[in-house]
Amino acid sequence: MDNSSVLSDEDYDVISNPGQRSLESSIADLHHIPALTTYELPPSDAAQERLSTVALSPADIQAYVRNAVDAFGVGKYPRDNRTLRVYVDGVFDVLTAGHALQLRQAKLSFPSVHLIVGVLSDEQCRSHKATPHFPHLERCELVRHCRWVDEVLPDAPWTVNDHFIIDKRIDYLALEEGSSVNPEFDKERLKGYDAVKKLGRVFPTRRTIGLTAAQPFVSCNESEDSPPPPFKEFELPVHGSFSHSANLPPSKTSTTMSADGKTLDLGALEAMEALEAMSNELTERCARKQKQPAKR
């Protein structure tokens, strides 16, 4: 084999890229291929009737966001179909239907969105008196398995700023409407959102009406090392007597459902359990009495 039969580097360039076309122009030929979209199971009729944001179509969501962005005056709703990077942050302890519906709105806010979700760390939450029940690793896993999420940011800052927005190449930050006037929302985080608003990089998502109220929680202001509340006993009917002291297990601590990590301390859980046990015992007594033969 002589040297003339061996292809040079230039020959390979002509064969692999005839006309010396650029990479960008080659990629442009692929625009006829439709972009992958997230498949969504249709909601039930009951969910559509009860939860206000379930039935929102992508067109409904985009029209709402367009009006909000254009009305703010700093920027305009993008008219092209380029992929925009949208950011949402929170504690997500645990991930609820309300969170999922907000993430859905963020993902569908523009025709093409790369949704980034920041999960606040355990240390940050504890330093702001919002100790989560589930560890950071598990909360990140919950978010990662949400169909709308494209990227999880485990080292999310407690307060966003313009440097963070530029560093992560974020186009918009999605914030649930009413957060800025919610007295339970962390004021430090709100200051960060307000700073990003001035850049025209924030749009609202609609709050879901119809969600179940949060379950009883342990106060986030209590120290992790503080002892549990004293065990209480309730008088329950057992074997025809109401004088037995029931050994009820201590109430289980639940975790917060709010993205801000705020919790409530309601002492009614043990009373509710006791009433339920009392009701069950009365039902059993009535059933046994009906089975007994009538006295003559």
Side-chain angles (χ1 to χ4, degrees):
M1 180 182 295
D2 58 12
N3 293 336
S4 62
S5 63
V6 180
L7 294 175
S8 65
D9 292 340
E10 290 77 10
D11 294 326
Y12 280 113
D13 290 337
V14 171
I15 294 174
S16 62
N17 193 8
Q20 298 297 312
R21 301 177 61 203
S22 66
L23 176 61
E24 289 77 10
S25 62
S26 300
I27 294 176
D29 292 340
L30 303 177
H31 283 177
H32 66 283
I33 301 176
L36 295 176
T37 56
T38 303
Y39 175 72
E40 181 181 12
L41 294 172
S44 65
D45 293 339
Q48 294 187 64
E49 292 177 2
R50 177 179 172 184
L51 304 178
S52 60
T53 61
V54 166
L56 293 176
S57 68
D60 295 331
I61 296 172
Q62 290 167 25
Y64 182 80
V65 174
R66 182 184 298 109
N67 292 336
V69 172
D70 291 346
F72 195 71
V74 178
K76 293 294 183 181
Y77 187 90
R79 305 300 174 183
D80 55 14
N81 290 328
R82 64 188 177 94
T83 298
L84 297 175
R85 293 168 64 85
V86 175
Y87 179 73
V88 178
D89 64 2
V91 179
F92 304 106
D93 184 30
V94 291
L95 186 68
T96 67
H99 293 140
L101 290 169
Q102 183 198 12
L103 296 178
R104 175 180 182 266
Q105 292 182 66
K107 176 67 175 180
L108 301 178
S109 55
F110 302 95
S112 181
V113 167
H114 179 83
L115 181 59
I116 307 168
V117 179
V119 182
L120 302 175
S121 69
D122 298 338
E123 293 74 15
Q124 289 175 319
C125 294
R126 281 193 289 266
S127 66
H128 291 84
K129 299 181 180 181
T131 302
H133 180 71
F134 288 94
H136 182 248
L137 174 65
E138 295 182 21
R139 292 185 283 115
C140 287
E141 280 298 291
L142 282 173
V143 172
R144 186 175 73 88
H145 283 81
C146 179
R147 70 172 71 240
W148 306 110
V149 177
D150 298 301
E151 180 181 345
V152 177
L153 193 64
D155 56 344
W158 187 264
T159 305
V160 297
N161 53 38
D162 54 345
H163 299 292
F164 172 76
I165 296 296
I166 294 172
D167 181 60
K168 299 300 180 182
R169 299 179 293 113
I170 295 171
D171 294 293
Y172 287 96
L173 188 151
L175 183 63
E176 187 177 69
E177 60 182 1
S179 298
S180 59
V181 296
N182 183 358
E184 296 297 325
F185 208 97
D186 185 81
K187 300 301 184 293
E188 185 177 336
R189 291 177 63 194
L190 285 178
K191 290 180 180 179
Y193 297 144
D194 289 339
V196 179
K197 281 182 181 179
K198 296 178 181 179
L199 303 176
R201 297 295 187 90
V202 176
F203 67 82
T205 59
R206 279 175 276 196
R207 182 183 295 273
T208 299
I209 307 300
L211 293 169
T212 302
Q215 296 297 316
F217 301 126
V218 171
S219 174
C220 64
N221 295 322
E222 294 180 358
S223 170
E224 287 187 326
D225 299 328
S226 61
F231 175 65
K232 298 180 181 180
E233 295 182 342
F234 296 88
E235 300 296 324
L236 298 180
V238 177
H239 302 299
S241 173
F242 287 88
S243 60
H244 180 77
S245 179
N247 295 320
L248 292 177
S251 59
K252 297 180 179 179
T253 58
S254 181
T255 177
T256 182
M257 294 183 182
S258 65
D260 188 46
K262 296 296 182 181
T263 53
L264 300 175
D265 184 9
L266 302 178
L269 180 59
E270 292 175 334
M272 292 172 61
E273 293 176 346
L275 290 174
E276 182 179 2
M278 183 181 296
S279 176
N280 293 336
E281 176 64 20
L282 289 175
T283 301
E284 294 178 2
R285 290 180 60 186
C286 292
R288 290 195 299 267
K289 188 174 181 180
Q290 290 179 355
K291 292 180 180 180
Q292 293 177 356
K295 296 182 179 180
R296 295 181 179 179

